[in-house]
Amino acid sequence: MKIFLDTAEVDKIKRFAALGVVDGVTTNPTIILKSGRKQKEVIREICKIVDGPVSVEGVEGKAEGMVKDGEEYASWAKNVVVKVPMTEEGLKAVRILAKKGIKTNVTLVFSPAQALLVAKAGAYIVSPFLGRLDDVGEEGMELVRQTVAIYKSYGYKTSVLAASIRSPLHVVQAALAGADISTVPADVLEKMYRHPFTDAGIRKFKDDWESAKKIK
Ligand code: G3P
């Protein structure tokens, strides 16, 4: 499974890219706001750090505007993927952008029926938002499972990207469900490699190493 970083904070992207575990990046207007930087400038910098897909999102409501924005975003770097919302206008934009050779990531997907339409429209990526479903008492992971099952049954090429991830457990469950990609906030990625037993084991080996040096 590919791992994308769900952040536009360049220092964090550089830090984790150095580990060789970052296959792409996803952003949205909230993430851009958190970065405190201008969208175009920060996206161009991210695209130089990461070779894989970098999702960029606007707020246009009409297909025409989404296509215009999408063409602009795609001109920033060759690995830009244009995020569009899961609406009728969004699906229309997916089809037009696909014909122009521009890849799309359909965002704010909350049902398998929506996910089916996303694949049929020809999107490159579908983003089921599992954490936000969990927040309202639904099982977000079930949406990922059902989307993966539907796409597998019919051979749809659209990649399933588990989004709105809140914990390492979400990442593991998304991998077991067969998601192609999980996009994770930087703090979740950090929690994925940390384990108290690893730290305790390192301390013990270090102490024993020091004791072993005293053997005559
Ligand atoms: O990339 C979009 C998605 O991952 C947002 O997550 O935490 O705002 O629900 P969240």
Side-chain angles (χ1 to χ4, degrees):
M1 184 181 64
K2 289 182 176 161
I3 293 181
F4 288 8
L5 268 177
D6 205 19
T7 184
E9 287 171 58
V10 168
D11 53 337
K12 290 181 180 158
I13 294 169
K14 279 187 184 156
R15 179 179 153 203
F16 294 117
L19 310 183
V21 298
V22 179
D23 301 300
V25 168
T26 48
T27 68
N28 60 35
T30 308
I31 286 170
I32 294 293
L33 176 68
K34 269 191 211 152
S35 78
R37 303 210 16 214
K38 290 274 177 215
Q39 187 193 44
K40 182 174 177 176
E41 176 201 283
V42 75
I43 293 293
R44 289 180 99 152
E45 193 175 341
I46 293 168
C47 287
K48 282 187 195 144
I49 304 164
V50 175
D51 290 333
V54 175
S55 290
V56 183
E57 185 170 355
V59 290
E60 279 292 335
K62 291 279 175 202
E64 201 179 278
M66 291 178 206
V67 171
K68 196 164 162 273
D69 274 1
E71 287 176 312
E72 159 74 13
Y73 302 152
S75 75
W76 294 349
K78 63 173 181 358
N79 48 337
V80 161
V81 171
V82 178
K83 257 184 166 179
V84 301
M86 178 52 240
T87 59
E88 183 176 346
E89 291 294 312
L91 293 180
K92 207 189 284 178
V94 165
R95 190 146 178 268
I96 299 168
L97 287 165
K99 280 186 182 158
K100 290 175 184 280
I102 296 173
K103 291 174 176 166
T104 52
N105 171 356
V106 178
T107 187
L108 294 164
V109 169
F110 293 96
S111 79
Q114 289 180 323
L116 174 58
L117 295 180
V118 170
K120 289 185 73 70
Y124 180 60
I125 291 172
V126 63
S127 289
F129 271 41
L130 63 101
R132 292 192 195 184
L133 280 170
D134 286 0
D135 291 345
V136 295
E138 289 186 42
E139 204 203 328
M141 202 54 69
E142 191 50 26
L143 170 60
V144 176
R145 281 187 213 108
Q146 290 182 4
T147 303
V148 168
I150 292 167
Y151 285 15
K152 206 174 165 194
S153 287
Y154 295 98
Y156 290 126
K157 298 276 179 291
T158 306
S159 295
V160 179
L161 179 153
S164 186
I165 283 202
R166 304 278 157 78
S167 67
L169 184 60
H170 269 163
V171 181
V172 172
Q173 288 174 334
L176 289 169
D180 300 290
I181 309 158
S182 278
T183 190
V184 299
D187 67 307
V188 172
L189 187 52
E190 193 172 345
K191 285 178 194 156
M192 283 171 70
Y193 66 74
R194 288 199 186 287
H195 198 289
F197 287 176
T198 305
D199 297 340
I202 289 169
R203 274 196 305 275
K204 172 90 172 101
F205 285 151
K206 209 168 167 213
D207 290 348
D208 290 348
W209 180 260
E210 289 307 318
S211 302
K213 280 204 294 196
K214 289 175 195 148
I215 296 171
K216 297 224 170 78

